[in-house]
Amino acid sequence: MKRRHFIKKSASTFVVVAGALVAVSYLRQFFPRLAGEKRRVAIGAPRQFPVDTYTYIDEHNFYVYRDHEGIKAVSAVCTHLGCILEKSTDGFECPCHGSCYNNNGEVLSGPAPRNLPWYQVSRAADGKIVVDPGKIVGAEDKFLTS
Ligand code: FES
């Protein structure tokens, strides 16, 4: 292989690889934090969660809600660009661009493009509550504890 041909081929390979890396970085912003959210998470015994309260599980970016019937879990990641939502009196607010959601995770005002996902909740053999962010359920679905 001639030197000139080698340099030309190396330069074009570099441009293709650099372009692919830039494209992947750009596209990642549309799928924020998904990789870390997919694992099943044991969050503890039901009694650790006060009734009629949303408890933020900060290591996994979701809220757990418990009422007198059971427990359910909703993502705390804004569907706009992935900021962590703060609990307000009657829903969730995004500190980044102002999206608001009600307590069912439904978008009340944008720019959030879609509702918050609710995650499947179950109980492990040891009695701990387990949240599975890889399994999306309806906002009305809850794991019955009573
Ligand atoms: S990231 Fe929440 S509104 Fe933009």
Side-chain angles (χ1 to χ4, degrees):
M1 182 182 293
K2 291 186 176 175
R3 183 176 173 185
R4 172 176 276 182
H5 181 70
F6 174 77
I7 291 172
K8 198 173 178 182
K9 192 139 184 128
S10 297
S12 62
T13 301
F14 175 78
V15 168
V16 168
V17 169
L21 290 174
V22 168
V24 167
S25 320
Y26 174 75
L27 292 173
R28 275 187 55 117
Q29 72 177 318
F30 299 110
F31 305 96
R33 303 173 195 220
L34 290 181
E37 290 187 64
K38 295 294 182 185
R39 285 174 274 129
R40 288 168 44 97
V41 178
I43 56 172
R47 67 178 181 284
Q48 291 179 240
F49 301 96
V51 174
D52 289 329
T53 303
Y54 285 83
T55 304
Y56 180 55
I57 310 296
D58 60 348
E59 314 91 71
H60 303 287
N61 297 328
F62 57 74
Y63 284 94
V64 172
Y65 176 73
R66 179 180 173 210
D67 63 15
H68 61 283
E69 295 176 332
I71 293 179
K72 53 189 193 172
V74 63
S75 171
V77 179
C78 182
T79 60
H80 180 222
L81 291 179
C83 290
I84 300 303
L85 301 170
E86 296 170 353
K87 189 72 187 85
S88 63
T89 25
D90 49 1
F92 305 92
E93 293 176 355
C94 182
C96 294
H97 310 108
S99 289
C100 292
Y101 305 81
N102 65 17
N103 276 332
N104 286 328
E106 297 162 338
V107 177
L108 298 176
S109 61
R114 58 189 172 279
N115 298 337
L116 298 173
W118 289 83
Y119 301 146
Q120 185 180 65
V121 177
S122 59
R123 190 191 308 255
D126 63 2
K128 288 183 181 166
I129 294 297
V130 174
V131 176
D132 188 348
K135 293 188 178 156
I136 306 301
V137 298
E140 69 285 347
D141 294 330
K142 65 179 85 167
F143 176 74
L144 300 177
T145 54
S146 56

